[in-house]
C-alpha cells in the first residue's frame, strides 16, 4: 500500500534526529534533522561511532545500563548530554531500538533523539 520510497522520505524528513548504526554503534545513515541538531553533515558522520556525540560527562553506569538493555534485545531511552560538532552541548532525549533480522539477530540499531535543552 505504501510505496517503498515513502518510508525513505519519511525517515529522511522526520523532525527527530534519526540514525541507523551497525551493532557496534557505527553510523551508517543519518537524516537531515540529525545534521541540523549535531552540526555534522551526513557525509562527515557516516562511519563514525555514535560516541562522537558524547560530552564525556555522562556517568559510565548509564552507558552500561544502555548497552545491557540493547544486548538483551530491549529498547533503551534516556537523556544524554551531547556535544555538537562546533563544541556546544545539548541535552538529548534519546531512544534506541535494536533492529532484528529474520533469525532474530541484532543487525542494526535505530537511534532517535531530540534536543530538549530548552525544556529544562
Ligand atoms: P564506550 O567505551 O563506547 O562505552 C562505555 C561503556 O558502554 C563500556 O564500558 C561498555 O560497558 C559499554 N559498551 C559500549 N559499546 C558497547 C557494545 N558495542 N556492546 C556492549 N557494551 C558496550 N552516546 C551518546 O553519548 N550520545 C548519543 O546520542 C548516543 N546515541 C546512540 C545511538 C545509537 C543508535 C547507539 C547504538 C548508541 C548511541 N550512543 C550514544 C552510545 C555510544 O555508542 C557510546 O557507547 C557512548 O557514547 C559511550 O562512548 P564512550 O566512548 O565514552 O565509551
Amino acid at each position: 500500500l505504501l510505496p517503498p520510497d515513502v518510508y525513505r522520505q519519511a525517515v529522511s524528513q522526520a523532525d527527530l534526529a534519526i540514525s541507523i548504526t551497525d551493532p557496534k554503534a557505527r553510523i551508517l545513515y543519518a537524516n537531515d534533522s540529525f545534521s541540523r541538531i549535531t552540526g555534522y553533515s551526513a557525509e562527515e558522520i557516516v562511519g563514525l561511532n555514535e560516541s562522537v556525540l558524547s560530552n564525556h560527562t555522562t556517568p559510565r553506569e548509564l552507558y552500561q545500563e544502555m548497552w545491557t538493555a540493547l544486548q538483551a534485545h530491549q529498547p533503551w531511552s534516556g537523556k544524554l548530554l551531547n556535544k555538537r560538532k562546533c563544541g556546544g552541548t545539548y541535552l538529548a532525549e534519546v531512544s534506541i531500538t535494536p533492529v532484528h533480522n529474520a533469525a532474530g539477530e541484532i543487525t542494526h540499531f535505530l537511534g532517535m533523539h531530540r534536543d530538549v535543552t530548552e525544556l529544562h
Side-chain angles (χ1 to χ4, degrees):
L1 287 177
L2 198 59
D5 271 5
V6 178
Y7 286 104
R8 201 185 299 269
Q9 296 302 339
V11 171
S12 165
Q13 294 167 29
D15 187 46
L16 278 173
I18 296 180
S19 57
I20 298 173
T21 75
D22 74 4
K24 293 190 165 160
R26 198 169 63 100
I27 298 168
L28 306 174
Y29 169 84
N31 74 352
D32 289 350
S33 290
F34 188 100
S35 296
R36 174 172 48 82
I37 293 173
T38 66
Y40 292 95
S41 69
E43 293 73 31
E44 287 171 326
I45 199 77
V46 165
L48 300 182
N49 193 282
E50 297 272 5
S51 64
V52 297
L53 299 179
S54 174
N55 187 47
H56 298 294
T57 50
T58 299
R60 261 192 123 55
E61 296 74 50
L62 197 65
Y63 291 126
Q64 264 151 19
E65 187 191 293
M66 168 199 291
W67 282 105
T68 301
L70 296 178
Q71 302 293 349
H73 296 228
Q74 269 148 24
W76 179 88
S77 55
K79 293 198 181 87
L80 298 172
L81 192 64
N82 275 356
K83 192 176 66 192
R84 300 185 213 274
K85 187 191 169 193
C86 65
T89 58
Y90 67 99
L91 189 64
E93 190 174 79
V94 182
S95 172
I96 305 173
T97 308
V99 179
H100 302 106
N101 63 14
E105 298 152 341
I106 297 174
T107 57
H108 300 85
F109 290 112
L110 170 67
M112 296 185 282
H113 79 264
R114 61 192 188 113
D115 180 350
V116 294
T117 312
E118 281 180 6
L119 307 175
H120 288 260

